[in-house]
Amino acid sequence: MVHVLVARVRAALAAHIRQHYQQDVTIVTEKPPRIEMGEVSSPVCFELAKRLKRAPRQIAQELAAQLPRIDGVERVEIAGGGYVNFYFSRAAFLAASLKEVEAQPVGAAPDAPKCIVEHTNINPNKAAHIGHLRNAALGDTFVRILRRAGQRVEVQNYIDNTGVQVADVVIGFLHIARKTPAEVRALAAQPKFDYYCWDLYAGVARFFDEDKTRLALRGETLRSIEEGTGEAAEMANIVAPAIVRCHLHTMQRLGIEYDLLPRESEILHLKFWDAAFELLKKRNAIHLAASGKNAGCWVMRMDESGAEADPGADDDDAKIIVRSNGTVTYVGKDIAYQLWKFGLLGRDFHYEKFYRYPAGHTLWETVATAGDSSAPAFGKAAIVYNVIDARQAYLQNVVVAGLRALGYEEQAGRSIHFSYEIVALTPRCAAELGYTLSEEDAKKPYVEVSGRKGLGVKADDLLDRLEAAARAEVDERHPDTPEAERADIAHAIAIGALRYFLLKFTRTAIIAFDFKDALSFEGETGPYCQYAVVRARNIFRKLREEQPDFDTASLENVDTGAAGELFAGSDGNAFWELAFMASSLGMQIDAAVGAQEPAFVAKYAFQLAQAFNLFYHHHHILTESDAAKKKFLLQLSRLVEVQLVAALELLGIESPEKM
């Protein structure tokens, strides 16, 4: 509701200024520092003063006196040297907010411009770890926020099934474990295949370190996989899909789903890269290096930021797009993929159904041969968000530079690197996991995760540990609750704890993961927010026990007279701050989309839970003797409950009935 009224204020100011002062100005609004100064303030008169050569306070006085009535605004006042402050009609605001939150959010129109959000993107060579979970949680939450904001979103999880990491696991099976494709197929059908590959992948690093000449195997294996021929390619076609299914199971535990799995192999087999390669050569965006360390490679000259460099720049500093042995680098294939996302490549994938989620949603994958004709239309986005960690900024800039070099300036501007910092381990956490740290590493604030060294927290191990801790709490508090229900509650609490932990930090913050912090259910945590919902629901559960015919729908009817008196009373400002905060979710969604920062919603959920807990302790709602006040308190509780549940849903956090 807040964002609706703020939009009305901005529109009214802009229209009045245009009509009376013949000026088009950007209307900036902000929240005043104290509630006594209103709900919205605008410094627009300071900008007008510069243009009109008049005192800002004089202009503010004119605006306050002449501005037409704005629906939902009770009065307009001036403050300081020329601020215009707007005071909302509190009782009417509460009534409108209750009606708004009880209505179902409107989804995007089927023909609305499409956003593509690509996230997770775990190499299909081993089990997912804690770092991958941050990517997935950020991407999934941003998808939820975009959809709540009314945007049409397609979720893609890119599968690099022809890359170095898959090649290394194939080398491990062929040259260390000495397995045949048939034996690997049997292994892949067993539980924890991704765990087996985790250990094998770490072993490959040691295998190469022992004899550097063995690195030649990597190039041979990559070529075999890319061309789709030989035993290595057969092995890769067993390993990658099996690991992808393991990853999907892990992500499903966190409530994360996708629409499409674009596979790198199809970018090669369907000649996507060939088409992009010809375009890049035709526009002279890349060239064949004739000398130096990159001789025989197709390169793109780039500066340190990833922008296109001067044509006279040294080829030794250029970015390799195609290696001298003819294999394509990751960034080359990603340029082709980005062109396809925007519908600029002139060709499409074929599609087959890969998986059906329990709720019925179909996950599709790309294939090289004729696919399923019932597949929806994928790609052709208006804007693309690539959720990839900050260490990949240069490569993402190269992709954007490739679009610009091809003349697609507009699409380059709508290619968004949704970056984030790494998840590391505290030294204490690393020690708990049994890793041996050097004296130097033990003194650092965090230890970086390394899949190649086998150093990290496997995602499923972490989830199991969280669920076990939550289950112990639930069993102690609710021993008489049925087993299945206790398991569901423990799962909701564990996922709430983890997702909130991963989302409460801004994207630019490095997270030092620690079991003790993640397992804490106090303070700024997911379980703290969930418990506030449980408290609100308990109010209505107990009320229904007293009044079996009670329906929360009855709370939509606000007695504006009684509400106005309570808002004006001794607790009025506290009541108003709670109502105002509860109705600010829309503002937080707008801010999160604008800044591409899911942490805004996480912070909002915690602050709302805090405010409600104070309200809950201060007022004895069910024993309130004044009927009008009791209904008013119930209305505030309902407003908080609905908005807090909605905020947690955006974070991918379920609100259990009990904790």
Side-chain angles (χ1 to χ4, degrees):
M1 187 62 196
V2 175
H3 65 303
V4 174
L5 285 183
V6 171
R8 287 179 192 166
V9 167
R10 288 175 178 164
L13 277 172
H16 185 78
I17 290 167
R18 193 177 302 114
Q19 181 180 354
H20 289 269
Y21 300 101
Q22 291 75 52
Q23 297 290 325
D24 283 310
V25 294
T26 300
I27 305 298
V28 176
T29 57
E30 54 196 45
K31 186 178 179 182
R34 299 192 310 277
I35 197 167
E36 295 82 3
M37 299 176 71
E39 287 68 57
V40 178
S41 179
S42 177
V44 67
C45 295
F46 295 98
E47 175 61 28
L48 281 174
K50 296 176 189 175
R51 301 187 186 191
L52 302 176
K53 309 301 181 186
R54 293 175 55 191
R57 187 172 174 87
Q58 185 184 57
I59 299 171
Q61 288 172 330
E62 290 176 0
L63 277 175
Q66 298 173 8
L67 199 66
R69 182 184 178 280
I70 302 171
D71 187 26
V73 175
E74 187 175 84
R75 67 185 191 277
V76 183
E77 295 183 358
I78 58 172
Y83 286 90
V84 184
N85 291 359
F86 298 82
Y87 293 75
F88 293 170
S89 304
R90 293 182 174 185
F93 179 91
L94 176 62
S97 293
L98 282 165
K99 283 185 169 58
E100 181 185 73
V101 300
E102 295 291 357
Q104 292 295 317
V106 178
D111 58 347
K114 183 196 292 183
C115 300
I116 286 177
V117 178
E118 178 202 337
H119 70 82
T120 306
N121 305 352
I122 309 171
N123 289 314
N125 68 321
K126 65 182 186 307
H129 60 60
I130 180 67
H132 298 132
L133 293 185
R134 187 178 197 189
N135 182 308
L138 281 169
D140 179 65
T141 300
F142 194 57
V143 166
R144 293 167 185 258
I145 291 170
L146 287 172
R147 285 175 173 161
R148 180 63 184 257
Q151 299 196 35
R152 187 163 67 100
V153 186
E154 180 175 297
V155 187
Q156 298 186 6
N157 177 4
Y158 182 75
I159 307 301
D160 182 1
N161 61 337
T162 66
V164 170
Q165 288 78 10
V166 171
D168 281 359
V169 171
V170 169
I171 290 168
F173 276 119
L174 291 174
H175 299 279
I176 299 175
R178 303 286 182 179
K179 300 285 186 185
T180 66
E183 288 171 326
V184 173
R185 194 181 301 279
L187 267 177
Q190 301 301 313
K192 302 288 187 181
F193 178 64
D194 52 341
Y195 279 44
Y196 181 97
C197 291
W198 174 288
D199 294 332
L200 183 63
Y201 183 64
V204 173
R206 294 189 295 272
F207 177 74
F208 287 146
D209 287 341
E210 290 165 2
D211 184 351
K212 297 298 184 185
T213 64
R214 291 169 176 169
L215 284 168
L217 289 170
R218 181 181 282 166
E220 297 167 9
T221 305
L222 271 172
R223 179 177 289 279
S224 174
I225 292 171
E226 286 189 4
E227 293 175 353
T229 59
E231 191 176 39
E234 183 183 358
M235 192 83 78
N237 286 334
I238 297 167
V239 170
I243 296 291
V244 168
R245 291 189 181 277
C246 293
H247 292 167
L248 291 177
H249 175 264
T250 301
M251 296 305 158
Q252 205 172 317
R253 294 180 71 180
L254 283 93
I256 297 172
E257 298 184 359
Y258 312 92
D259 300 315
L260 177 67
L261 303 177
R263 301 194 308 171
E264 188 172 88
S265 52
E266 274 65 67
I267 288 177
L268 297 171
H269 298 156
L270 292 172
K271 308 300 182 184
F272 278 30
W273 164 244
D274 291 23
F277 189 35
E278 291 306 314
L279 285 171
L280 289 165
K281 287 191 293 183
K282 186 176 180 181
R283 297 291 182 95
N284 296 317
I286 61 176
H287 68 278
L288 187 63
S291 60
K293 69 177 184 180
N294 291 336
C297 300
W298 285 90
V299 298
M300 183 184 290
R301 292 191 180 106
M302 312 293 300
D303 63 21
E304 290 182 0
S305 70
E308 205 171 354
D310 186 278
D314 190 342
D315 280 348
D316 280 0
D317 297 326
K319 179 61 188 172
I320 297 174
I321 306 299
V322 182
R323 303 178 187 92
S324 58
N325 65 2
T327 58
V328 188
T329 62
Y330 154 76
V331 73
K333 288 173 279 193
D334 211 45
I335 290 172
Y337 178 34
Q338 197 77 350
L339 287 168
W340 169 81
K341 287 179 188 172
F342 283 112
L344 301 174
L345 202 59
R347 58 186 66 194
D348 198 2
F349 294 108
H350 302 295
Y351 306 96
E352 289 283 359
K353 295 182 174 95
F354 185 80
Y355 180 72
R356 187 176 180 85
Y357 289 104
H361 178 59
T362 298
L363 171 63
W364 295 80
E365 67 169 342
T366 61
V367 292
T369 54
D372 189 328
S373 61
S374 68
F378 291 109
K380 297 184 179 178
I383 186 168
V384 174
Y385 298 94
N386 295 327
V387 184
I388 302 174
D389 79 56
R391 294 171 297 183
Q392 304 300 316
Y394 174 76
L395 295 178
Q396 284 295 297
N397 287 340
V398 174
V399 172
V400 171
L403 293 181
R404 288 204 166 99
L406 292 171
Y408 298 120
E409 188 68 36
E410 186 180 343
Q411 288 82 358
R414 290 190 266 109
S415 294
I416 311 299
H417 178 198
F418 192 95
S419 65
Y420 62 94
E421 281 294 347
I422 62 168
V423 180
L425 308 177
T426 63
R428 177 176 65 185
C429 180
E432 283 182 44
L433 291 165
Y435 297 122
T436 302
L437 301 179
S438 67
E439 189 174 330
E440 183 183 354
D441 283 341
K443 293 178 181 177
K444 292 179 179 178
Y446 60 84
V447 179
E448 286 196 39
V449 170
S450 172
R452 188 166 290 278
K453 296 177 183 177
L455 178 60
V457 182
K458 296 185 187 73
D460 281 308
D461 283 350
L462 172 59
L463 290 169
D464 290 344
R465 190 162 174 173
L466 286 167
E467 289 206 29
R471 181 61 186 269
E473 283 281 329
V474 173
D475 287 348
E476 184 177 338
R477 295 184 185 190
H478 306 286
D480 298 327
T481 298
E483 161 80 18
E485 187 178 347
R486 277 182 285 138
D488 288 344
I489 295 169
H491 175 75
I493 293 171
I495 299 307
L498 179 58
R499 287 194 64 135
Y500 194 90
F501 180 83
L502 294 170
L503 294 165
K504 71 178 180 178
F505 300 95
T506 57
R507 292 190 288 118
T508 55
I510 293 175
I511 298 177
F513 178 79
D514 189 274
F515 281 114
K516 184 178 179 181
D517 294 339
L519 290 167
S520 173
F521 292 169
E522 299 297 326
E524 189 179 354
T525 66
Y528 179 88
C529 299
Q530 290 171 310
Y531 192 62
V533 174
V534 170
R535 274 186 163 160
R537 286 177 172 170
N538 279 343
I539 294 170
F540 298 110
R541 178 181 56 78
K542 291 175 182 177
L543 188 60
R544 289 188 187 93
E545 290 173 0
E546 297 172 6
Q547 303 173 30
D549 60 342
F550 172 77
D551 186 349
T552 52
S554 65
L555 298 176
E556 288 184 43
N557 301 314
V558 175
D559 182 336
T560 53
E565 289 180 12
L566 288 161
F567 277 132
S570 59
D571 288 323
N573 282 346
F575 290 147
W576 175 238
E577 287 194 79
L578 181 62
F580 189 82
M581 183 185 294
S583 301
S584 298
L585 178 58
M587 287 284 284
Q588 298 301 322
I589 290 170
D590 290 346
V593 172
Q596 298 157 31
E597 186 52 84
F600 290 176
V601 177
K603 182 67 70 176
Y604 166 81
F606 173 65
Q607 291 174 341
L608 182 57
Q610 260 189 326
F612 179 73
N613 283 334
L614 288 172
F615 166 82
Y616 178 88
H617 286 300
H618 191 68
H619 300 282
H620 302 291
I621 300 168
L622 293 177
T623 57
E624 173 59 53
S625 57
D626 184 320
K629 184 176 181 180
K630 181 176 181 178
K631 183 175 182 180
F632 175 79
L633 297 176
L634 287 169
Q635 287 167 329
L636 287 178
S637 299
R638 177 60 177 170
L639 183 59
V640 170
E641 179 201 349
V642 174
Q643 292 291 78
L644 189 49
V645 168
L648 291 176
E649 284 178 353
L650 292 176
L651 300 173
I653 297 173
E654 183 185 347
S655 299
E657 292 297 324
K658 63 177 71 170
M659 289 179 69

